Amino acid sequence: MTGSVSRRGALCIGMGAAAVVTLGRVTVAFASATDDAIAAFTGGADAKSGKIAVTAPEIAENGNTVPIEVAVDSAMDGDDMVEEVIILADGNPNPGVATFKFSPLSAEAAASTRVRLAQTQNIVAVAKMKDGTFYQDARSVKVTIGGCGG
Amino acid sequence: MAKIKPRVKVPKKADIGEIITIKTLISHPMESGQRKDKKTGETIPRNIVNSFTASFNGEPVFEAVVEPAVSANPYFEFQMRVPAAGEMAFKWIADDGEVYETSKKIKVG
């Protein structure tokens, strides 16, 4: 296999060349790692839908830098405050992307960054509110060329 | 390695209570630890910016815990409501122990 490995293929070996062959099963494994990460973040509490929105391109040509934004509908005052937002990518070798922590000085619980996506997958964001509730949203991004750590 | 330089965009002047957008970028390779050296087959050790914090007059504004899935030259954009005149401080911490800092003053009025 090494003889015909493309440059990008070589970059991806780090995450397991076999992933290409057993893509379906591996995706399931990644997805459960994402569920585990969500459970660790929420402490087992249910994450409701609504309030939080993930913005990401429908199709990303280059998986190395995909612009994403998370925004939570919150007054950022008193108990209506977003404490943290965790961002996960369920098709990456490690689902964790970033955790954003907001403060009373944050006027809006919104932030954007650029991420690496190894393959077509979902971006999942979970917001932790000050009152202990959790909100979740996901958006799928089609990746033309994966950004396997490269 | 190219010199690592933080860049931030903060309005110089704002009104009290105004919501400003802050954009930050630091040139950093964000070596994910997943790549292998093509010649030796050795894994290139992970070296990423793992933490970013922004504070205003010592009060935290925005913090990010960063994983390798954040792109090279990590970029963060966020908002702040200006409570008073003061100084905004930014800090990035990398896996290799390097700390990069910069600050910007905001005038009121």
Side-chain angles (χ1 to χ4, degrees), chain A residues 7 10-11 13-15 64-66 75 92-94 96-108 110-116 148-150, chain B residues 19 25 29-32 34-36 38 48 56 59-81 83:
Chain A
R7 181 182 161 270
L11 293 178
I13 285 172
M15 49 174 288
N64 264 323
T65 58
V66 183
N92 273 3
N94 297 308
V97 174
T99 309
F100 292 156
K101 293 176 185 169
F102 297 98
S103 76
L105 281 179
S106 312
E108 291 162 28
S112 45
T113 185
R114 295 173 189 152
V115 302
R116 288 172 173 148
C148 310
Chain B
I19 295 169
L25 186 136
M30 295 290 280
E31 193 58 64
S32 68
Q34 299 279 346
R35 292 202 305 157
K36 288 192 177 182
K38 265 182 278 175
I48 66 162
F56 185 75
E59 295 280 316
V61 177
F62 177 79
E63 268 182 67
V65 179
V66 184
E67 305 282 346
V70 171
S71 301
N73 305 331
Y75 167 87
F76 298 105
E77 183 184 325
F78 53 94
Q79 277 85 34
M80 183 183 84
R81 179 174 283 120

Side-chain angles (χ1 to χ4, degrees), chain A residues 38-97:
Chain A
I38 293 171
F41 181 70
T42 61
D46 267 346
K48 290 172 260 182
S49 62
K51 280 208 175 200
I52 183 166
V54 179
T55 312
E58 209 170 299
I59 297 171
E61 282 188 9
N62 180 357
N64 264 323
T65 58
V66 183
I68 61 156
E69 187 189 354
V70 292
V72 188
D73 181 16
S74 160
M76 290 308 276
D77 195 25
D79 275 348
D80 187 10
M81 179 100 70
V82 181
E83 285 190 335
E84 286 179 65
V85 174
I86 188 169
I87 303 167
L88 304 158
D90 68 4
N92 273 3
N94 297 308
V97 174

Side-chain angles (χ1 to χ4, degrees), chain A residues 10-26:
Chain A
L11 293 178
C12 293
I13 285 172
M15 49 174 288
V20 181
V21 184
T22 55
L23 197 61
R25 286 176 60 194
V26 171

